[in-house]
Amino acid sequence: MEPKISCRGVWKIFGPHPERFFHTHGGAPGPDAFAGSGYIPAVRDATIDVFPGEILVIMGLSGSGKSTLVRCLSRLIEPTGGEILFDGRDLLKATPKEMIELRRHKMGMVFQHFALLPHRTVLHNVAFPLEVQGVARADRLRRAMEVVELVGLKGRESYYPRELSGGQQQRVGIARSLAVEPDVWFLDEPFSALDPLIRREMQDEFLRLQNLLHKTIVFITHDFDEAIRLADRIAIMNEGVIVQIGAAAELVTRPANDYVAEFTREVPRDRLLTVADVMAAGADPDAGAAPVEANAPIHDVARRVLRAEAPLRVVDENGVTQGAISRADVVDALFEDRSGRE
Amino acid sequence: MRRAWPIAALLLGPCALLIVLRDALPGWAVTPPASWRVPFIEWINAVVEFLRKTPLVADFTFRDGTRAVAGWIEWPLDLLEGILISGFADGAVPSLPWTMIVGLAAVWGWYLRGWRLSLLAGGCVLYLALFGKWKLSMITLSAVLVAAPVAGAIGLGLGILAVKWRGFERILWPLLNVMQSLPHFSYLIPVAVFIGVSHKAGTIATILFAMPPMARLTILGLRGVSPEIVEAGLMAGCTRLQMLRKVEIPAARPTIMVGVNQVIMQCLAMVVIASFIGAKGLGHDLLFRLQSLRIGQALEIGVAIVFMAVTLDRLSQALAAKEPEHLREGAWWRAHPFLGSAAAVVAVTALASFITPYASVLPRELTLTTAPFWDGIVDWVTVNLFDPLNFFRDALLLNVLIPMRTGYQAVPWLAVAVLVGSIGWRLGRARIALPVLGFLAFVMLSGFWARSQITAYMVSFAVLVCAGVGLPLGIWASKHEWRAKLVQLLCDTFQTFPSFIYLIPVIMLFKVGDVAAISAIVIYASIPAIRYTTIGLRSVPHHIIEAATTSGCTPRQILWKVRMPLAFPEIMLGVNQTIMFALFMVIIAAFIGTRDLGQEIFRALTFNDAGKGLVVGLCVAFIGLTADRLITEWAAVRKRELGIG
Ligand SMILES: Nc1ncnc2c1ncn2[C@@H]1O[C@H](COP(=O)(O)OP(=O)(O)OP(=O)(O)O)[C@@H](O)[C@H]1O
Ligand SMILES: [Mg+2]
């Protein structure tokens, strides 16, 4: 499948003369080059594809360059090096005018601190991107009203941002970014400023919207639980480098390095991993006991597997045998083996 | 703390040595010789002459241009005066009835903040009418209402340009610093030269004087817009113009509105002083009464100005703080209760004016006057307090002021330069030392060194007294929440009074001279000393005080060992403000006979000597900026060391 956004070897360096610094180091400055130079490598050689309709979550500790990477993708920040293709077109070659057009029609963004305009009501905040495009007043207010209803804020449309709670404000932020029906939706830690309970509610809301809309999404968070709940794929960043990209189960079972392993340590593995993630594929044990389903979480089958004398047969939804799962598989999956990596 | 002494000795030592060795120094190191004088005045006046006389385009001179521009301002001035007092077409179309203006002020106060502000605004405006100051105050008000929007618009424009072009900001910012430290009178002289002496000239001077704070706050406001909001605008696809109009300026509104408040207050302060070049209204009357020593009447006008200041300040502050609210449901008057009441006020007062002329123009015989009361007080003071006041004045002069002045005049300029330079160097190397030495060099080479020393003596004596008043009061106020609030309210209120007002009571007590001038400075400049001490002491973090209490400190120990040291940088910023206020006042006090730089500006004003007025004004500004540079830098360094701010 053709990626929606394709990001090839992107660098972003902060400092007095980043371009010059970048080129004197041959377009690939190593960690030594930065030491004591006064330059900060916010993003280093990032290569990543975002496919249509997927939710790609970018994770990492504070300062690991997540926001900077996403701002490079929307070109709010000019990358120092590398190339970015949007629908196959070179984004970095777009003129300011083309960028305005792209942002008006193809991109939407939600911000950590909501970034609502304090002097506009909910409705006029949501209508703002349409107003900027020059959509007629009646049309844009009708469309804004639809989106306000979509995010569940009907009845509050004439309120001002400061009259709303944090969760409601972020709903406005979401509605605003959806008003123009963008193809790509960037969300920079949209729920980090909210209380845990509200955060969960907003995640559900987000999934509900995505089921309706099927956008291409780049979502930033530093909360692994949130990433697991929402992501199709997760990219983990550390000090500007993308260390690993993959589905949640892959990061848990096959972490690329200690940094990733550290991230995934507290994850409830029994609920995240499915039988298919840990089984011995291809094996075909005796068809004695009742089989287990491949896509069941380990949590649901662990008791049976551990009590059984022999490995159990694993079948897919059509009843076709996929492999076998043994006690050892379950124990290895639940209790991460760290003896080999000290 | 022990290590502070060698540093102090290092900083003060050379200066002290130079003062002691004064007689051994060559003459040029003590007072700058006349031959060093740089003819700044002549240069400026040459430019002024050129602009006045030389045709630039066809036979139009620059002055013709400024006069033409000034002509435009007459338009809105006439319009507003017509609306507020004189009516149009020789009274065929009447002006607004005074009852309507009182009512609208009250409704507006209610809309902006509630019934208290409504009473305050309505009451103050009512006072102006009842006490026979209606016409004068409406002339003043119309000048403010014309000058403030123009000054605000220019300031906003300059601020926007500065934010969009770095290079422009680099020029504008230092210029704003100088303009905001330039005394009022320095603005009057060039305006008098290029426009003449008239009401509109006064209005133009007011515009020029009130513009800088708007530019400054616009820059601060636009820079302070959160980057996320700007990004939200970009992602919505804003063009540069849309960004500015729809995102940045609205998001910076709170700060910009603070600027609007400051512009309005500066306008009022200046329009009073601009009566020196012909501005009409309350200020003109005040000036006239003061010159003829009719103190009672002057006081009455002073009170009117004060009421007007308080009304304008509170209304514009409330406007700045007003947050948008969603409309209530229901019928038109329910959704817009304030518009509804305003309409009701207009209807009722218009009807009343139709029925009785009293509701439209209050006849003179119905107005009240307090002048006899004030005159009584003045007489009483003259009769009963004459001896003690005279004794106090003479004693202060003979024992303190004159010796101090002689002392100041004896200090060699080299000693001042060494002191200022070494403090600057210690605080921020060449970055601080060079500008302050530059300021000093200008004062020295301008030919006004001796006058500047007198100004410095008056200001430093006044600042000492202010600190002596402000510190204890601030400490007292910081002990309880209610005291702090009360003091804050009083400071806010007193600070809105145009500085010229402060001359009235001191003339009443001390007539003219140094003691009167210094008293006026002390009253005016104590305000920031008190305010910053209170704020500084109260903003010491609570957990630090709790820690000190649990370590067993007595309240006195907490004050002197914990709160004072932590609040000291803030208090020094208060002292800085006190110096600035004192410099403004010392120049205004020239009106009551001082012999310092103020007197020189005053004379320049009489002779329309723009060059001299500007150069002396710059001397004052540079004295202030020297102190400002050193103190703010010191406070910043100290705050960083303490890990606060
Ligand atoms: N405008 C800037 N100038 C200089 N350095 C910057 C700038 N913006 C970001 N950085 C630096 O780049 C690095 C990455 O910042 P970034 O904001 O992308 O991190 P992040 O992963 O989003 O962190 P957080 O979780 O705190 O939002 C940080 O070290 C930051 O200090
Ligand atoms: Mg971030």
Side-chain angles (χ1 to χ4, degrees), chain A residues 61-68 71 112 188-189 220 222, chain B residues 228:
Chain A
L61 297 177
S62 194
S64 56
K66 310 179 293 289
S67 300
T68 307
R71 278 163 178 70
Q112 180 172 2
D188 186 357
E189 301 198 29
I220 300 184
H222 56 232
Chain B
E228 264 198 355

mmCIF file of all heavy atoms in Angstrom, chain A residues 61-68 71 112 188-189 220 222, chain B residues 228, ligand 2:
data_model
loop_
_atom_site.group_PDB
_atom_site.id
_atom_site.type_symbol
_atom_site.label_atom_id
_atom_site.label_comp_id
_atom_site.label_asym_id
_atom_site.label_seq_id
_atom_site.Cartn_x
_atom_site.Cartn_y
_atom_site.Cartn_z
ATOM 1 N N LEU A 61 10.207 9.365 26.052
ATOM 2 C CA LEU A 61 10.262 10.190 27.253
ATOM 3 C C LEU A 61 10.203 11.656 26.852
ATOM 4 O O LEU A 61 10.325 12.007 25.681
ATOM 5 C CB LEU A 61 11.554 9.912 28.018
ATOM 6 C CG LEU A 61 11.695 8.484 28.532
ATOM 7 C CD1 LEU A 61 13.048 8.311 29.210
ATOM 8 C CD2 LEU A 61 10.576 8.169 29.503
ATOM 9 N N SER A 62 10.044 12.490 27.861
ATOM 10 C CA SER A 62 10.008 13.926 27.618
ATOM 11 C C SER A 62 11.328 14.371 26.998
ATOM 12 O O SER A 62 12.394 13.948 27.435
ATOM 13 C CB SER A 62 9.783 14.631 28.951
ATOM 14 O OG SER A 62 9.438 15.956 28.718
ATOM 15 N N GLY A 63 11.251 15.145 25.945
ATOM 16 C CA GLY A 63 12.468 15.644 25.303
ATOM 17 C C GLY A 63 13.051 14.696 24.286
ATOM 18 O O GLY A 63 14.127 14.928 23.752
ATOM 19 N N SER A 64 12.326 13.590 23.972
ATOM 20 C CA SER A 64 12.900 12.630 23.032
ATOM 21 C C SER A 64 12.650 13.041 21.579
ATOM 22 O O SER A 64 13.106 12.369 20.669
ATOM 23 C CB SER A 64 12.317 11.241 23.294
ATOM 24 O OG SER A 64 10.915 11.292 23.218
ATOM 25 N N GLY A 65 11.916 14.128 21.363
ATOM 26 C CA GLY A 65 11.786 14.649 20.003
ATOM 27 C C GLY A 65 10.474 14.320 19.320
ATOM 28 O O GLY A 65 10.336 14.535 18.114
ATOM 29 N N LYS A 66 9.485 13.842 20.087
ATOM 30 C CA LYS A 66 8.203 13.460 19.479
ATOM 31 C C LYS A 66 7.523 14.651 18.827
ATOM 32 O O LYS A 66 7.146 14.601 17.654
ATOM 33 C CB LYS A 66 7.266 12.875 20.564
ATOM 34 C CG LYS A 66 7.892 11.798 21.413
ATOM 35 C CD LYS A 66 6.917 11.288 22.455
ATOM 36 C CE LYS A 66 6.551 12.303 23.534
ATOM 37 N NZ LYS A 66 7.618 12.602 24.487
ATOM 38 N N SER A 67 7.374 15.727 19.621
ATOM 39 C CA SER A 67 6.687 16.905 19.084
ATOM 40 C C SER A 67 7.431 17.447 17.886
ATOM 41 O O SER A 67 6.819 17.838 16.887
ATOM 42 C CB SER A 67 6.588 17.996 20.140
ATOM 43 O OG SER A 67 5.887 17.536 21.243
ATOM 44 N N THR A 68 8.747 17.477 17.979
ATOM 45 C CA THR A 68 9.529 18.030 16.879
ATOM 46 C C THR A 68 9.305 17.201 15.616
ATOM 47 O O THR A 68 9.104 17.751 14.532
ATOM 48 C CB THR A 68 11.015 18.040 17.257
ATOM 49 O OG1 THR A 68 11.158 18.698 18.513
ATOM 50 C CG2 THR A 68 11.826 18.769 16.215
ATOM 51 N N ARG A 71 5.936 17.950 14.172
ATOM 52 C CA ARG A 71 5.913 19.294 13.578
ATOM 53 C C ARG A 71 6.715 19.338 12.279
ATOM 54 O O ARG A 71 6.462 20.193 11.436
ATOM 55 C CB ARG A 71 6.402 20.322 14.584
ATOM 56 C CG ARG A 71 5.284 20.720 15.543
ATOM 57 C CD ARG A 71 5.765 21.391 16.789
ATOM 58 N NE ARG A 71 4.661 21.802 17.646
ATOM 59 C CZ ARG A 71 3.878 20.977 18.327
ATOM 60 N NH1 ARG A 71 4.061 19.663 18.255
ATOM 61 N NH2 ARG A 71 2.899 21.429 19.078
ATOM 62 N N GLN A 112 -1.676 19.747 22.919
ATOM 63 C CA GLN A 112 -1.695 19.304 24.315
ATOM 64 C C GLN A 112 -2.484 20.266 25.204
ATOM 65 O O GLN A 112 -3.277 19.843 26.019
ATOM 66 C CB GLN A 112 -0.259 19.184 24.825
ATOM 67 C CG GLN A 112 -0.188 18.736 26.273
ATOM 68 C CD GLN A 112 1.232 18.447 26.705
ATOM 69 O OE1 GLN A 112 2.180 18.607 25.939
ATOM 70 N NE2 GLN A 112 1.402 18.019 27.929
ATOM 71 N N ASP A 188 -0.927 15.841 19.289
ATOM 72 C CA ASP A 188 0.273 15.922 20.140
ATOM 73 C C ASP A 188 -0.142 15.862 21.605
ATOM 74 O O ASP A 188 -0.591 16.844 22.166
ATOM 75 C CB ASP A 188 1.025 17.225 19.841
ATOM 76 C CG ASP A 188 2.344 17.282 20.602
ATOM 77 O OD1 ASP A 188 2.623 16.347 21.384
ATOM 78 O OD2 ASP A 188 3.086 18.260 20.421
ATOM 79 N N GLU A 189 -0.006 14.699 22.190
ATOM 80 C CA GLU A 189 -0.389 14.468 23.590
ATOM 81 C C GLU A 189 -1.740 15.103 23.913
ATOM 82 O O GLU A 189 -1.846 15.901 24.849
ATOM 83 C CB GLU A 189 0.677 15.036 24.538
ATOM 84 C CG GLU A 189 2.038 14.416 24.296
ATOM 85 C CD GLU A 189 2.984 14.623 25.464
ATOM 86 O OE1 GLU A 189 2.492 14.723 26.609
ATOM 87 O OE2 GLU A 189 4.197 14.671 25.238
ATOM 88 N N ILE A 220 0.717 11.335 19.454
ATOM 89 C CA ILE A 220 1.853 11.335 20.375
ATOM 90 C C ILE A 220 1.372 11.095 21.793
ATOM 91 O O ILE A 220 0.343 11.639 22.204
ATOM 92 C CB ILE A 220 2.570 12.701 20.351
ATOM 93 C CG1 ILE A 220 3.086 13.001 18.965
ATOM 94 C CG2 ILE A 220 3.707 12.713 21.350
ATOM 95 C CD1 ILE A 220 3.869 14.264 18.913
ATOM 96 N N HIS A 222 3.135 9.902 25.963
ATOM 97 C CA HIS A 222 4.247 9.236 26.649
ATOM 98 C C HIS A 222 3.705 8.215 27.638
ATOM 99 O O HIS A 222 4.389 7.789 28.556
ATOM 100 C CB HIS A 222 5.213 10.235 27.298
ATOM 101 C CG HIS A 222 4.564 11.180 28.251
ATOM 102 N ND1 HIS A 222 4.730 12.532 28.148
ATOM 103 C CD2 HIS A 222 3.770 10.975 29.299
ATOM 104 C CE1 HIS A 222 4.047 13.121 29.109
ATOM 105 N NE2 HIS A 222 3.454 12.193 29.815
ATOM 106 N N GLU B 228 1.615 27.374 20.910
ATOM 107 C CA GLU B 228 0.590 26.422 20.469
ATOM 108 C C GLU B 228 -0.535 27.134 19.737
ATOM 109 O O GLU B 228 -1.055 26.625 18.743
ATOM 110 C CB GLU B 228 0.009 25.682 21.675
ATOM 111 C CG GLU B 228 0.641 24.343 21.928
ATOM 112 C CD GLU B 228 -0.215 23.464 22.815
ATOM 113 O OE1 GLU B 228 -1.257 23.923 23.307
ATOM 114 O OE2 GLU B 228 0.158 22.313 23.024
HETATM 115 MG MG MG C 2 5.986 17.406 23.148
#
